[in-house]
Amino acid sequence: MADSAISRNVSDSDLESQAQEKQKYETSQDSSEGEGELTRAPSGAPLERVPTYLQPRIPLRERLHHFTFAWYTVTMSTGGIALVFALCPHRFRGLDTIGLIIFLLDLLFFLFISAALCLRFILHQRTFSHAMCRPGEALFISTFFLSIAALLSNAQTYGELFLNKKDQAGLAVFLRVAFWIYLGATFLVSVIQYHILFTVKEERRLTVNSMTPAWILPIFPVMLAGTIAGFVSPTQPPDEALAMICAGVAAQGLGMLVSVFMYATYLSRLIAFGLPVQRPGMFIAVGPPSFTCAAIVAMASDLPRIFAAATVSQVPMIASLSEPVVLAEGVKMLAITASIFLWGLAFWFFVSALAAIIVRMPDRRFHLSWWSFVFPNVGFTIAAIRMGVALDSGGILWMSTVMIIVLFVVWAFVAVRCVRAVLRREILWPGKDEDCH
């Protein structure tokens, strides 16, 4: 009987421990339901869909409480679509008008999102400080500046297409001033953002096992100063253009090098902890080498014009060179070689992210990170266009045209899913947005 009692006690103890383990598992599953990519465990376990559309309605004021900086991913992606339409190598009548409409639509989206964010900060005053200090949302502050970069690039491109010469001259002055303001602001913001991430409270600090390419976002805007310089410099006087290109190269190099440092941590995280739950964010890694590739080709393409100005002493720095035009062509060839080198890296990250999406996508619920399907690949497409033009390759240009078509389809799909997610309360809902991390 003693043995029976002992065995019964052991059995009861086992059952109790099993019940506790089950409760812990269910609790961990429930607690991870509302977490974002930055705090989820990287195990890749499938997450069940929460039927938020069946929950009671909440006031619009409360939904606005969860309107985060990540909404600027909409505008930077839409602006990217307008930009690739303007650069499309194979065109049809009316494409410029379609691109202009998308550009103006992007501008309206930008104003609406900015107004909604300001309203959020006014109605819910503590949300501004939370947005600055909580990594889940703070990382997406950079998307505001990325949207501005897209707007400035589009303004230059469509200004050349639709404005008269007098207005183009005024636009060139505006963009020159805007470039230097943008460069200074984004450099300062990148320093501040990373400083906040370095000094945030320990319980909110990002961990290596949750590392995603989103960690690159704070340095992304200053890197795009080089991309803007590539678009704007051909309309500037030679001395101003050279200054912009020098600054653009420095900014592009800064962003690319910081991204390379981040890639080491990112790849280590993938090897040690596996793929992230939210796979679309993996496409962010495509952006830095793609935009750098596009920027250096664009900036180098303007060097022959600038160096030729040395013959009339418009650019004192190169006036003493014996063969400035030959040197410019040499720099241009070097830039093309470097761009091919970087495009290969971008292609590898693109295929890796695409494979991860195709094989398995554990969390199929819509998140604003889905816009990563679009914007980084805008840079990838622009890089292909720049290389095709520089190499005079019909094959690359046709490939880039196909990429533009696919990119537009993806943009439309993500836009539909975004609207659907708002209506079904998958986003702009308590516990479902970046502000919950």
Side-chain angles (χ1 to χ4, degrees):
M1 292 181 64
D3 293 341
S4 176
I6 292 172
S7 63
R8 187 162 50 252
N9 289 336
V10 172
S11 299
D12 292 342
S13 176
D14 291 342
L15 289 174
E16 184 178 353
S17 63
Q18 290 176 7
Q20 290 176 352
E21 290 296 325
K22 182 178 180 181
Q23 185 177 4
K24 288 180 180 179
Y25 174 77
E26 291 175 349
T27 302
S28 65
Q29 289 294 96
D30 293 338
S31 64
S32 66
E33 188 70 39
E35 293 181 352
E37 183 173 348
L38 296 172
T39 55
R40 283 194 182 95
S43 60
L47 301 176
E48 295 181 359
R49 182 185 179 86
V50 178
T52 49
Y53 57 89
L54 297 177
Q55 297 178 10
R57 294 178 179 272
I58 62 175
L60 180 61
R61 176 191 176 104
E62 289 304 314
R63 296 199 72 175
L64 192 63
H65 188 193
H66 306 285
F67 196 95
T68 67
F69 276 98
W71 274 92
Y72 281 113
T73 55
V74 177
T75 52
M76 68 184 194
S77 299
T78 305
I81 293 297
L83 198 56
V84 295
F85 274 16
L87 299 176
C88 184
H90 299 94
R91 315 186 64 77
F92 60 87
R93 187 175 181 180
L95 182 60
D96 291 341
T97 303
I98 295 173
L100 178 63
I101 292 172
I102 295 177
F103 168 46
L104 296 177
L105 184 65
D106 178 52
L107 182 59
L108 289 177
F109 285 163
F110 181 82
L111 295 175
F112 173 79
I113 292 171
S114 299
L117 271 175
C118 290
L119 190 59
R120 173 202 179 194
F121 296 145
I122 292 172
L123 295 177
H124 307 278
Q125 296 181 3
R126 297 183 62 184
T127 54
F128 182 77
S129 60
H130 289 171
M132 297 295 111
C133 300
R134 296 189 177 182
E137 183 176 358
L139 286 172
F140 287 94
I141 294 174
S142 302
T143 58
F144 167 76
F145 295 98
L146 292 174
S147 298
I148 292 177
L151 289 172
L152 293 176
S153 300
N154 275 304
Q156 170 60 43
T157 305
Y158 286 99
E160 289 183 349
L161 293 174
F162 290 97
L163 296 181
N164 56 45
K165 295 296 182 181
K166 181 179 179 180
D167 292 336
Q168 287 183 23
L171 178 63
V173 175
F174 167 77
L175 291 176
R176 184 193 315 157
V177 175
F179 168 81
W180 291 109
I181 295 175
Y182 175 88
L183 177 60
T186 53
F187 180 84
L188 185 62
V189 167
S190 68
V191 173
I192 293 174
Q193 275 199 274
Y194 277 121
H195 177 75
I196 292 174
L197 293 176
F198 298 157
T199 58
V200 73
K201 292 181 179 180
E202 188 172 352
E203 60 269 19
R204 297 177 186 169
R205 195 162 295 168
L206 299 174
T207 56
V208 174
N209 66 339
S210 65
M211 198 278 178
T212 71
W215 291 18
I216 300 172
L217 286 177
I219 203 66
F220 220 126
V222 67
M223 179 174 62
L224 287 197
T227 304
I228 298 173
F231 278 101
V232 175
S233 68
T235 64
Q236 304 297 318
D239 55 340
E240 296 287 351
L242 183 61
M244 293 177 67
I245 288 176
C246 290
V249 170
Q252 202 75 41
L254 168 65
M256 186 63 215
L257 286 176
V258 172
S259 300
V260 168
F261 301 152
M262 292 290 187
Y263 285 156
T265 305
Y266 173 54
L267 293 177
S268 299
R269 175 254 197 266
L270 293 180
I271 293 172
F273 301 101
L275 295 170
V277 174
Q278 292 185 28
R279 305 287 168 83
M282 294 178 66
F283 281 103
I284 296 176
V286 179
S290 297
F291 282 104
T292 302
C293 170
I296 60 176
V297 172
M299 289 187 286
S301 297
D302 195 34
L303 287 180
R305 176 186 72 90
I306 296 172
F307 278 39
T311 58
V312 290
S313 300
Q314 292 185 24
V315 185
M317 188 179 81
I318 57 176
S320 60
L321 297 176
S322 58
E323 296 290 342
V325 177
V326 175
L327 178 60
E329 293 295 338
V331 173
K332 185 177 178 180
M333 289 301 300
L334 181 62
I336 294 173
T337 304
S339 70
I340 297 173
F341 178 88
L342 290 170
W343 196 87
L345 177 62
F347 182 69
W348 187 87
F349 277 118
F350 173 81
V351 174
S352 297
L354 184 62
I357 295 291
I358 293 174
V359 170
R360 187 165 176 260
M361 193 168 169
D363 188 1
R364 295 180 178 273
R365 294 171 301 173
F366 181 85
H367 300 273
L368 289 173
S369 62
W370 278 39
W371 287 103
S372 301
F373 281 128
V374 181
F375 185 73
N377 294 320
V378 166
F380 190 48
T381 304
I382 294 175
I385 296 171
R386 298 289 195 195
M387 286 174 50
V389 172
L391 297 173
D392 195 21
S393 171
I396 295 178
L397 292 176
W398 272 111
M399 180 190 71
S400 61
T401 301
V402 174
M403 291 170 68
I404 291 172
I405 296 172
V406 174
L407 199 60
F408 176 74
V409 172
V410 172
W411 172 79
F413 169 75
V414 175
V416 171
R417 284 301 308 268
C418 186
V419 173
R420 180 176 179 268
V422 173
L423 296 177
R424 293 175 65 88
R425 308 170 194 171
E426 296 176 10
I427 54 177
L428 289 180
W429 197 258
K432 299 297 180 182
D433 299 275
E434 293 72 23
D435 61 332
C436 70
H437 310 320

